[in-house]
Amino acid sequence: MSLKSLVTIDVGSTQTRALLFARVEDRFRFVAAASAPTHLRAAHPDVALGGIQALEHLSAISGRLLLDPQGILIVPELSNGAGVDACLVTLSAAPLVRVVLGGLSPEWSLASLQRAVASTYAQVVDVLSVAPQDGRRQSEEEWLQALATAEPHLVVIAGGIDGGATRPVQALLETAALAARLRPEGERPRIIFAGNAVLREEAVALAGRELPLRVLQNVRPRVDVEHIGPVVEAIDQRYVERAMASLPGLSLLRSWAQKDVLPTARALSHVARYLSLETPDRGTLVVDVGGNHTVLTVAHGGLLAQVVRSESGIGQGILSLYQRREYERIARWLPHEVPPEALEVFVWTKAMHPLSIPQTLEEMWIELAFAREALAEAWEQLLALWPELGRLPRAFEPILLTGGAFSSHARPGALALVALDALQPVGITTLLWDPVGLTPGLGALVDVDALRMVEVVHSRPWIPLATILAPALDGPVGLDESLFTVEVHHRGPDGSESVYEIEARGGRLEVVPIPGIGETELRRFRMRRPVDLGWGPRRAPRRIRIAGGLLGLVVDGRGRPLRLAEAEEARREQIQRWLWDIGALGSGL
């Protein structure tokens, strides 16, 4: 059946968003979005209530009746246009899955498992390693004690290439099985074996009928081959299973859905992977900063790298983020002095009232400073887990910004600056902005009707925020030092042409408005310094077509890596100058 209409419900830790997609003029499109509090922190938590309220708001916005008098979603769509043909649910509000990892080597099997866990809503509570740790080897008794203390929901064991070592991995399996049997039947962890294929039958025999065991493809069948996808999927399934058991109201939302609940991070990875098909040589970066999670997803060629950083966001996750990053790292992004006491008051208030929005410019700058540090921390973890990304230029196309931190209450220039400061892209890239949080719903659509998802993506439902031109420099530059000039050629739909020259200056951001209609090209680059725009020092194509965006063209002449002044007053002046350059300063919100 070809879908005529679809509702997606994204249950976040702070907000629940409902999105309507429908066929409009023979094309499947994003139509409207609405949100409501998730109701997890209420006296009587009920995530279904947040979903119902979001759908009620969506009905009012779209003019389409979605709920019957009993508050049940109308499925399928009726002949009078009420209801929808399908519903999908994405989720990031559930408690994390506690995972213990077991493997032979920190450099191989355990590294693969760490990458798998980092891509999910889970936390590693302990690691059992056959290889010596800190100069000594763990005993099987220590493994058993670690499993008893950690009380994991999931034990994931890998190790040994196919046909390789068996005895050390067998010892890990035996210990995990014994630890599980020592737990009460209803509290036993699930065991996943993703190691040497030779041991699959033995793993099944060790588990017997009383232990929940799942055997998966070896994460490292060869030293140079990695398969973490099945482990990621298994952790996702455990996350959803526990969510169904622990989140009141989720079962009602699931009863409306055509497919199983999908973790939000997985939906984001679907979008990143599809967008990367359009630019396989450059890859795509999808950024989501929410109330309690920050998710970075890179899709580049055949590589999919993702980090789900929990207790990191601008809602209830802000307190843990502050404790990790501390005052100095947050304050370095503020244009005015904010004493530690005042910053701590903001943090505690935001953690207790995550739905609150900034009421003053100072509060907005503080919230966006936390968004920068959430992104910076997640990027550091991404590079630590996938070091090969550090050898690639940060020349993604596009960079998609979504999540609560990029909601529509902040100024577009300020949001663009958050991405530029924290991610520091190089060369030419497009910033896409998702102020209503439609990206998870769009990713969920892949599992139901991939062609409809393609239709929506091709309609470009996100707002083009800016085209970024950010050169890499060979060293420090002076403030206002000339870096290069370039001509901007615009041809209007009526054939009229305009040409003007802009100059990139050291330590500054230049914003050039680009008309939303017609065609715009960059021509005749004249290098004043050996800057690298992605084609090598002092090199650039003769013509580059750009799309512009809400801000237009933003030329970032601050260099890479970004250098902040060491003196506090000079650094604040620097931040003020950048905010002014990008049009984020003014008299009010």
Side-chain angles (χ1 to χ4, degrees):
M1 180 188 72
S2 178
L3 287 177
K4 293 187 296 183
S5 56
L6 169 81
V7 155
T8 66
I9 302 171
D10 180 39
V11 183
S13 58
T14 303
Q15 296 252 25
T16 294
R17 291 182 172 85
L19 303 155
L20 175 62
F21 300 87
R23 185 163 294 283
V24 179
E25 297 178 351
D26 293 328
R27 295 192 66 181
F28 204 71
R29 297 177 181 271
F30 164 67
V31 176
S35 63
T38 295
H39 292 283
L40 267 180
R41 298 164 65 91
H44 302 286
D46 186 355
V47 298
L49 181 58
I52 290 170
Q53 290 178 343
L55 289 170
E56 289 174 340
H57 297 331
L58 187 60
S59 288
I61 292 170
S62 65
R64 178 190 289 250
L65 181 65
L66 295 171
L67 300 172
D68 68 15
Q70 287 73 43
I72 303 300
L73 182 66
I74 301 170
V75 180
E77 181 179 328
L78 304 180
S79 59
N80 63 1
V84 289
D85 282 335
C87 171
L88 298 171
V89 178
T90 55
L91 174 72
S92 61
L96 300 178
V97 177
R98 294 170 57 86
V99 181
V100 168
L101 303 180
L104 290 183
S105 167
E107 293 81 15
W108 302 108
S109 55
L110 285 171
S112 296
L113 294 183
Q114 291 279 9
R115 283 190 279 271
V117 174
S119 305
T120 66
Y121 296 99
Q123 61 175 333
V124 176
V125 292
D126 212 331
V127 176
L128 314 179
S129 175
V130 173
Q133 299 291 303
D134 300 323
R136 61 180 298 273
R137 187 184 299 274
Q138 295 174 317
S139 67
E140 294 180 25
E141 290 75 14
E142 288 174 310
W143 291 346
L144 189 63
Q145 181 60 45
L147 286 164
T149 303
E151 297 185 351
H153 306 124
L154 202 58
V155 179
V156 187
I157 295 174
I161 61 173
D162 286 346
T166 58
R167 179 54 201 151
V169 184
Q170 185 181 32
L172 284 168
L173 282 168
E174 291 170 350
T175 305
L178 176 58
R181 286 189 171 91
L182 293 175
R183 302 286 299 171
E185 187 172 345
E187 300 176 11
R188 289 172 177 172
R190 304 286 176 87
I191 301 174
I192 292 175
F193 176 60
N196 189 342
V198 172
L199 289 173
R200 289 175 182 173
E201 291 185 3
E202 186 163 345
V204 172
L206 280 170
R209 294 185 177 182
E210 70 271 24
L211 295 184
L213 169 76
R214 186 171 177 183
V215 176
L216 301 177
Q217 180 182 15
N218 192 347
V219 294
R220 285 277 187 176
R222 301 198 310 267
V223 172
D224 60 338
V225 175
E226 181 178 77
H227 296 302
I228 65 172
V231 175
V232 171
E233 181 182 350
I235 298 174
D236 281 348
Q237 290 177 356
R238 186 64 177 134
Y239 174 73
V240 172
E241 287 172 3
R242 298 195 67 253
M244 294 296 295
S246 63
L247 291 186
L250 184 60
S251 58
L252 176 61
L253 299 182
R254 169 62 186 90
S255 70
W256 299 344
Q258 187 171 345
K259 293 280 188 176
D260 287 337
V261 175
L262 183 69
T264 300
R266 205 56 46 238
L268 296 173
S269 70
H270 291 340
V271 174
R273 195 184 291 275
Y274 180 78
L275 289 176
S276 72
L277 297 177
E278 300 179 357
T279 56
D281 56 331
R282 298 184 58 186
T284 295
L285 174 60
V286 176
V287 171
D288 184 324
V289 182
N292 199 39
H293 303 285
T294 295
V295 183
L296 289 187
T297 310
V298 172
H300 189 287
L303 172 70
L304 181 69
Q306 186 174 56
V307 161
V308 178
R309 187 77 192 189
S310 300
E311 296 187 337
S312 177
I314 59 166
Q316 53 265 56
I318 199 170
L319 180 58
S320 295
L321 177 62
Y322 184 57
Q323 291 169 343
R324 293 192 303 272
R325 305 302 278 185
E326 300 183 334
Y327 172 79
E328 288 75 14
R329 285 185 172 178
I330 303 299
R332 63 179 175 165
W333 300 112
L334 300 177
H336 305 288
E337 182 180 6
V338 176
E341 298 80 9
L343 193 59
E344 290 176 8
V345 168
F346 175 88
V347 168
W348 280 102
T349 302
K350 189 70 177 179
M352 295 174 65
H353 305 282
L355 287 169
S356 62
I357 62 174
Q359 301 299 307
T360 65
L361 272 175
E362 181 178 273
E363 289 184 354
M364 185 174 78
W365 303 140
I366 294 174
E367 188 169 291
L368 294 182
F370 275 97
R372 285 175 172 86
E373 285 303 310
L375 285 176
E377 181 183 58
W379 184 258
E380 290 166 7
Q381 184 180 0
L382 194 74
L383 291 183
L385 290 168
W386 282 273
E388 59 266 38
L389 288 176
R391 297 188 287 271
L392 298 172
R394 300 190 193 185
F396 303 108
E397 177 59 29
I399 297 175
L400 173 57
L401 311 176
T402 187
F406 296 104
S407 60
S408 54
H409 68 261
R411 295 176 175 178
L415 296 178
L417 195 57
V418 168
L420 292 177
D421 291 346
L423 303 173
Q424 300 186 39
V426 174
I428 295 181
T429 190
T430 306
L431 292 185
L432 297 179
W433 181 28
D434 178 11
V436 298
L438 68 89
T439 305
L442 189 54
L445 183 54
V446 172
D447 289 337
V448 174
D449 194 330
L451 289 178
R452 300 292 82 78
M453 183 264 200
V454 171
E455 277 191 86
V456 178
V457 170
H458 284 182
S459 72
R460 282 300 189 249
W462 305 288
I463 297 174
L465 184 57
T467 294
I468 306 299
L469 180 57
L473 305 176
D474 60 346
V477 296
L479 181 63
D480 289 320
E481 178 183 345
S482 180
L483 303 178
F484 63 87
T485 61
V486 62
E487 292 179 2
V488 180
H489 290 247
H490 179 75
R491 178 188 293 271
D494 59 354
S496 61
E497 295 190 16
S498 60
V499 180
Y500 46 94
E501 186 177 75
I502 60 173
E503 180 182 28
R505 296 176 295 158
R508 304 302 295 258
L509 294 144
E510 305 289 337
V511 179
V512 184
I514 302 294
I517 56 176
E519 297 179 353
T520 304
E521 289 184 340
L522 303 181
R523 304 179 189 175
R524 296 187 178 89
F525 284 87
R526 297 178 177 88
M527 306 298 182
R528 311 300 188 200
R529 289 211 27 182
V531 301
D532 188 348
L533 294 170
W535 295 275
R538 295 187 182 275
R539 299 181 63 186
R542 295 182 61 186
R543 297 185 176 191
I544 305 172
R545 179 171 292 183
I546 63 172
L550 191 62
L551 296 175
L553 172 66
V554 177
V555 183
D556 187 349
R558 300 175 299 166
R560 300 289 186 266
L562 190 63
R563 292 178 174 86
L564 295 175
E566 294 185 5
E568 291 183 4
E569 192 58 40
R571 186 169 61 247
R572 293 189 193 108
E573 291 177 0
Q574 197 177 39
I575 299 297
Q576 291 173 22
R577 182 167 58 248
W578 295 342
L579 289 168
W580 177 267
D581 285 348
I582 208 164
L585 283 182
S587 58
L589 287 173

